[in-house]
Amino acid sequence: MSRTPEDNERIVKAGIKDKVRRTARWVPFADDALAAYYCALDPATPAKVKLAIMAALAYFVMPVDAIPDFIAVLGFGDDAAVFWAAWRTISGHITYLHRDRAAAVLAGEDDKGTPPDRG
């Protein structure tokens, strides 16, 4: 069953931040994945690039893929291959602003640059 671009976007929006936070110490491209997500949300990013980002990130976020993520070391290999294939198309569109937002989220801040509500 193939997913639509809308399905990919819904999957990514629902799970990207949690997935990156959980896997950042094992997945060398986690910060790039989150920066790519913010690039996809940027209105200045071309539609073709947004589609490539969301498709690659949906594959990363989904718990079921070719090699399950719980398998040590190998589990993220297929995710990395898919992401890096998309990276060739998207990397030129990722700005320092996208990277700054990703770094802030990884540091425990929310999207507005403030600590998240812990209440």
Side-chain angles (χ1 to χ4, degrees), residues 26-116:
W26 302 295
V27 178
F29 63 91
D31 56 337
D32 290 327
L34 198 52
Y37 170 69
Y38 288 114
C39 180
L41 297 181
D42 188 334
T45 301
K48 172 180 109 173
V49 174
K50 289 180 183 190
L51 288 172
I53 291 169
M54 289 300 187
L57 292 179
Y59 189 84
F60 174 58
V61 171
M62 291 294 295
V64 178
D65 55 31
I67 303 173
D69 293 342
F70 65 84
I71 298 174
V73 181
L74 295 177
F76 293 107
D78 60 327
D79 298 321
V82 169
F83 182 75
W84 288 114
W87 187 254
R88 295 186 63 165
T89 301
I90 66 177
S91 64
H93 298 277
I94 296 176
T95 69
Y96 73 91
L97 294 173
H98 304 139
R99 290 193 178 281
D100 286 351
R101 285 184 76 186
V105 169
L106 288 171
E109 298 172 354
D110 69 14
D111 289 338
K112 295 174 185 68
T114 57

